[in-house]
Amino acid sequence: MADEWSSSLDVHLDWTPGLGRKGLAKAVRQAIRDGRWRPGSVVPSTRALAHDLGVARGTVTRVYSDLAAEGYLQTSQGAPTRVATAGAQPLTQPRPIASREPAMRWNLMAGRPDAALFPRDIWLASTKRVLQHTHNETFGYGEPRGSSVLRATLSAYLGRSRGVLADPARIVICSGFAHAMTILGNALQSVGIQEMAFEDPSFNRFRDLAGATGQKIVGVPVDGNGMRISELTSPAVVVTPAHQSPIGVTMSPDRRATLTQTGAVIVEDDYDGEFRYDRQQVGALQALAPERVIYAGTASKTLAPSLRLGWLVLPRSLVDPVIAALATSGAQPSLLDQLTLADMISTGAYDRHVRRCRIEYRSRRDRLAAALPQHLIPQGISAGLHLMVPLSEAAEAQVPTVARRHSLAVATVSPMSMGEKRHGLVVGYGASSKNAFGGALDALLNVLRELQD
Ligand SMILES: Cc1ncc(COP(=O)(O)O)c(C=O)c1O
């Protein structure tokens, strides 16, 4: 019985029983000409196709032999019938999706971890454990706010590692910070907030996502002590207090305290809080005011952006609006991945992985900082996966052309500015593989040598 259906394939044919044998031949011919039945591919067995269409097997056999005679099909004794290579029209090639980055040999783009550091073995071991022990419910839709197992695990982990006060009931799992921007833009609208302030400069993408929800987006300048809180007037604000993106400074303790007293809803983007190299970690702002601060974390730097896994720790009053916005966003990270991450954290494998990455990124940062020409002083603290090198306006303007000549992908600051333009390079030392980092660094130094003030 199994053999009988072994060559059964689901196929679509524009054919109805009223069209008869000729109509069936025409439909198969058309499928081949359109390229829907690909040259060289096996066609359904006569028995299977006859069954699926509800016609006599002999009808399909005759159609196949007619089409073989016409050169559309290839039949041979003892082998399955295939579409002949002649007769089919070539499919139009899908247009390549425009890449946001030019294809350069060396990559120092900010915000990317080294994909080669992804702990494949550990992820595999955790996935295996999850699949061996999980209930069948895991294969259903799951809880809208995210796996209770991951939320409980994150509650303990965030308290221990970042000082976050995180009751599992106030944690929501989302598809990274980008998704959080859409969810929070909508959730804040639902509680009457229609304006969100962002640090100036900051990554445009997150501002655009929040703006697309109808929020008015306002910039507040950043200086050496972080966002200038005295200039903040919006009812909600997105900040990167532990390591400003892209400038790299830490928000000063008095500004942190003042910010929590402004009355604004604060979104704390703790995107690289795990990577601190030259001083004690700066604890999360959230601990100062858990009813005012939305803490946002992500697996994009410690593991991989492709996981699309992030988490929010919410003030009590925002839990329901955020869950409602999450539900209408239509997106949710895979429950299996959530459980895998929970397993990694609870077995200690995640901490060990983060420590290994910290050592690697720290050594790259030290190499980079030591190699920079003396007159270029990186701004900010030793942390994260990027550093900012201030440049003059004239020098920054030459970067795209000179970097292209050296096949180097690297970002500049002024496109991230909203008001007064800041100028410089944002050098990401995570994006390269370990082996390519030396070459990328040489390319950067060559670029810097050629820039003229
Ligand atoms: C400032 C900042 N926040 C958050 C993220 C993480 O975004 P996501 O979780 O959507 O990958 C990044 C990643 O580049 C970032 O640079």
Side-chain angles (χ1 to χ4, degrees):
M1 200 61 192
D3 267 349
E4 194 171 309
W5 301 109
S6 59
S7 59
S8 168
L9 303 163
D10 281 342
V11 291
H12 171 75
L13 286 173
D14 294 324
W15 179 83
T16 51
L19 297 172
R21 182 159 62 87
K22 278 196 176 150
L24 179 57
K26 193 173 164 202
V28 174
R29 228 181 264 119
Q30 198 56 47
I32 295 173
R33 284 210 196 102
D34 291 349
R36 286 181 283 120
W37 288 26
R38 303 281 173 89
S41 63
V42 173
V43 302
S45 68
T46 51
R47 187 194 298 267
L49 189 60
H51 176 269
D52 286 352
L53 299 177
V55 298
R57 188 175 175 191
T59 305
V60 179
T61 308
R62 286 195 53 191
V63 166
Y64 276 11
S65 75
D66 288 350
L67 292 178
E70 291 172 27
Y72 283 93
L73 296 179
Q74 281 170 347
T75 50
S76 55
Q77 196 70 38
T81 302
R82 292 178 184 273
V83 176
T85 36
Q89 287 185 351
L91 283 181
T92 42
Q93 290 300 315
R95 253 194 290 155
I97 298 166
S99 162
R100 277 191 284 164
E101 282 162 34
M104 299 285 179
R105 174 153 188 218
W106 308 112
N107 190 352
L108 291 177
M109 289 303 284
R112 320 287 155 85
D114 179 352
L117 292 180
F118 184 83
R120 293 176 192 236
D121 293 355
I122 296 170
W123 188 263
L124 199 59
S126 288
T127 304
K128 199 168 163 193
R129 262 193 303 274
V130 166
L131 286 174
Q132 274 166 344
H133 301 297
T134 196
H135 299 292
N136 285 348
E137 290 90 80
T138 300
F139 305 103
Y141 287 103
E143 295 164 75
R145 65 175 72 191
S147 147
S148 58
V149 176
L150 178 58
R151 287 186 291 108
T153 308
L154 281 173
S155 164
Y157 171 76
L158 294 173
R160 163 170 65 79
S161 68
R162 303 293 297 125
V164 174
L165 304 173
D167 175 350
R170 291 162 67 163
I171 297 181
V172 162
I173 310 299
C174 60
S175 297
F177 190 69
H179 187 209
M181 282 292 91
T182 302
I183 297 168
L184 293 177
N186 285 321
L188 293 175
Q189 292 259 6
S190 75
V191 297
I193 292 179
Q194 283 157 359
E195 180 180 306
M196 291 171 76
F198 281 75
E199 294 165 320
D200 181 6
S202 56
F203 273 2
N204 321 36
R205 176 154 184 257
F206 301 130
R207 303 196 303 252
D208 293 347
L209 286 165
T213 67
Q215 291 285 348
K216 181 180 173 203
I217 304 301
V218 171
V220 178
V222 169
D223 63 23
N225 289 317
M227 180 186 264
R228 281 194 218 132
I229 307 303
S230 56
E231 296 181 33
L232 173 67
T233 53
S234 307
V237 57
V238 180
V239 283
T240 47
H243 187 221
Q244 204 277 331
S245 167
I247 304 287
V249 296
T250 310
M251 190 179 285
S252 64
D254 51 322
R255 287 212 186 154
R256 284 159 62 95
T258 313
L259 177 57
T260 59
Q261 286 153 16
T262 55
V265 174
I266 302 157
V267 181
E268 176 178 22
D269 175 10
D270 196 33
Y271 63 106
D272 66 5
E274 297 83 356
F275 299 123
R276 204 92 326 167
Y277 311 126
D278 64 356
R279 58 164 88 177
Q280 275 292 322
Q281 291 200 353
V282 182
L285 184 67
Q286 189 264 4
L288 298 181
E291 295 305 337
R292 293 240 61 88
V293 179
I294 299 168
Y295 173 89
T298 177
S300 291
K301 311 282 174 174
T302 52
L303 289 170
S306 65
L307 286 176
R308 306 317 300 136
L309 258 175
W311 41 91
L312 299 173
V313 183
L314 298 160
R316 219 178 302 273
S317 61
L318 285 174
V319 171
D320 288 342
V322 167
I323 291 174
L326 177 66
T328 52
S329 80
Q332 209 181 351
S334 145
L335 190 51
L336 280 175
D337 288 349
Q338 294 183 47
L339 291 172
T340 302
L341 177 62
D343 182 89
M344 264 186 84
I345 296 174
S346 58
T347 55
Y350 182 77
D351 281 71
R352 288 192 292 278
H353 165 69
V354 168
R355 280 169 178 274
R356 272 194 298 275
C357 294
R358 203 180 283 144
I359 292 168
E360 172 61 23
Y361 293 138
R362 182 195 175 138
S363 93
R364 292 189 198 183
R365 191 188 195 280
D366 289 349
R367 251 175 99 184
L368 168 60
L372 287 173
Q374 277 194 336
H375 68 284
L376 292 178
I377 314 221
Q379 206 164 341
I381 58 165
S382 181
L385 305 186
H386 75 273
L387 63 72
M388 191 313 226
V389 182
L391 293 177
S392 69
E393 180 175 358
E396 195 206 63
Q398 298 156 49
V399 169
T401 313
V402 180
R404 202 173 307 118
R405 207 162 46 236
H406 289 280
S407 203
L408 174 69
V410 66
T412 52
V413 180
S414 62
M416 302 177 200
S417 304
M418 300 164 82
E420 193 191 333
K421 292 273 182 238
R422 303 282 277 266
H423 303 285
L425 277 184
V426 189
V427 185
Y429 41 85
S432 283
S433 68
K434 193 171 179 165
N435 292 340
F437 184 65
L441 194 50
D442 288 345
L444 175 72
L445 296 176
N446 287 332
V447 169
L448 290 173
R449 238 173 258 128
E450 287 180 28
L451 300 179
Q452 280 156 18
D453 280 330

